[in-house]
Amino acid sequence: MVEADIIRGKRVLSLLEELRQARTLISIRVRERDLQSLTMIAGIQVKNGIARFKIDCSPGLQTKEYEVEGLEIDFEFTGGDKLMYHFRASVLEVSGQDLWMRFPEFIERGQRRLDFRVEAPPGTRLYFQVNGLSCSVEVVSISLGGVKITGRKGSQGNVILGRGQTLSNLVLKFPKPDHSSVFIGKAQVKWTSQSSGRALEKHALQYTELDRRQRRILKEHILRIEREILRKRARMDF
């Protein structure tokens, strides 16, 4: 495991400036509110003697959710050295669709990892069997730790997934252009919920058995999805 390294002082400024210039995609999370999204650093300045940086909020990110002075947000990104970087910063000001953040005291490089989810491309499906019955469900979001799925209650031959249930030999299949698959040895149902209006069931599954090769394939898909999000956002800027 990679040992954590702490970046402080002027190196923090240098690193944040590199992220701004490279338009590096950064994942953010507010743990207390179960909020998360993708962003980029859009500006750096000193105002009233306080160093701060601006993050660009995507259309799906409601800044009002973050409009709390001092609210702390977790940031994570992959550096040019392929290591994970993590830091925490607090909100100073909300300006339109942008957030101004206080400079972090330090940035941690190394072992820490946020289990960030990305929205699954339309047509992504999860296949598995329950009591000999083949099931196919829509995938809502994906991470390196698990998936969220949804479907109408009873749509899979009245199969009901319960919390704590273990599923084996699952196949996560992506749509065009490659139609590739990720094979998951085992996954456990962590929670379930039901939408009363449309009788929709949602489930969160956590991988409990996923070998290195399949994990690498899954990571490549997640990075590809993130890059596509970045390209779409970049086109919106022009």
Side-chain angles (χ1 to χ4, degrees):
M1 178 176 290
V2 177
E3 294 296 331
D5 177 32
I6 302 300
I7 298 171
R8 299 180 183 274
K10 294 182 178 180
R11 294 173 62 198
V12 170
L13 171 60
S14 298
L15 183 52
L16 294 183
E17 179 61 24
E18 288 179 13
L19 298 178
R20 185 192 68 80
Q21 293 183 10
R23 297 177 62 83
T24 300
L25 195 64
I26 304 171
S27 65
I28 62 175
R29 171 182 288 182
V30 181
R31 297 181 182 181
E32 294 79 4
R33 300 188 179 192
D34 194 28
L35 297 172
Q36 53 186 348
S37 185
L38 298 174
T39 190
M40 292 180 289
I41 293 180
I44 295 175
Q45 68 174 212
V46 176
K47 184 177 181 180
N48 299 326
I50 299 176
R52 58 189 201 163
F53 64 96
K54 181 172 67 174
I55 60 175
D56 175 31
C57 297
S58 66
L61 179 62
Q62 301 297 320
T63 52
K64 64 181 180 181
E65 299 281 3
Y66 297 83
E67 198 166 1
V68 178
E69 183 178 353
L71 180 68
E72 291 192 329
I73 299 178
D74 284 308
F75 292 75
E76 189 186 63
F77 61 93
T78 303
D81 52 9
K82 308 303 181 183
L83 293 178
M84 299 306 303
Y85 288 70
H86 172 272
F87 65 91
R88 176 172 288 189
S90 58
V91 175
L92 287 173
E93 179 185 347
V94 177
S95 177
Q97 284 297 310
D98 298 321
L99 294 177
W100 283 100
M101 310 294 303
R102 184 185 297 273
F103 258 47
E105 293 184 9
F106 61 88
I107 297 176
E108 186 178 1
R109 175 177 59 194
Q111 51 188 205
R112 193 168 185 174
R113 169 70 191 171
L114 294 179
D115 192 15
F116 185 76
R117 295 190 301 269
V118 295
E119 183 178 348
T124 304
R125 309 287 296 182
L126 184 68
Y127 298 87
F128 55 91
Q129 288 193 343
V130 177
N131 298 326
L133 179 65
S134 296
C135 302
S136 169
V137 295
E138 178 185 354
V139 177
V140 178
S141 62
I142 311 166
S143 77
L144 286 174
V147 294
K148 285 187 177 180
I149 59 176
T150 187
R152 291 191 176 277
K153 186 175 182 180
S155 61
Q156 302 301 325
N158 292 320
V159 169
I160 298 176
L161 300 180
R163 184 176 179 180
Q165 183 176 357
T166 297
L167 305 174
S168 301
N169 301 319
L170 305 91
V171 180
L172 178 62
K173 190 172 184 61
F174 292 89
K176 294 180 179 179
D178 54 359
H179 293 288
S180 63
S181 301
V182 175
F183 298 93
I184 302 163
K186 291 183 180 180
Q188 185 179 62
V189 180
K190 300 303 291 184
W191 60 259
T192 65
S193 66
Q194 182 175 334
S195 175
S196 58
R198 294 178 294 171
L200 286 177
E201 287 188 331
K202 294 183 179 180
H203 308 276
L205 276 60
Q206 181 181 35
Y207 316 132
T208 56
E209 186 178 302
L210 182 65
D211 67 34
R212 289 186 177 182
R213 182 173 181 274
Q214 297 302 314
R215 183 179 177 84
R216 183 174 66 253
I217 295 172
L218 178 59
K219 183 176 181 179
E220 290 172 355
H221 279 289
I222 291 175
L223 292 176
R224 176 178 59 80
I225 295 169
E226 289 182 338
R227 287 194 295 269
E228 182 60 27
I229 293 173
L230 179 58
R231 282 195 293 268
K232 289 180 179 179
R233 293 181 58 191
R235 288 196 295 267
M236 292 177 60
D237 291 339
F238 290 97

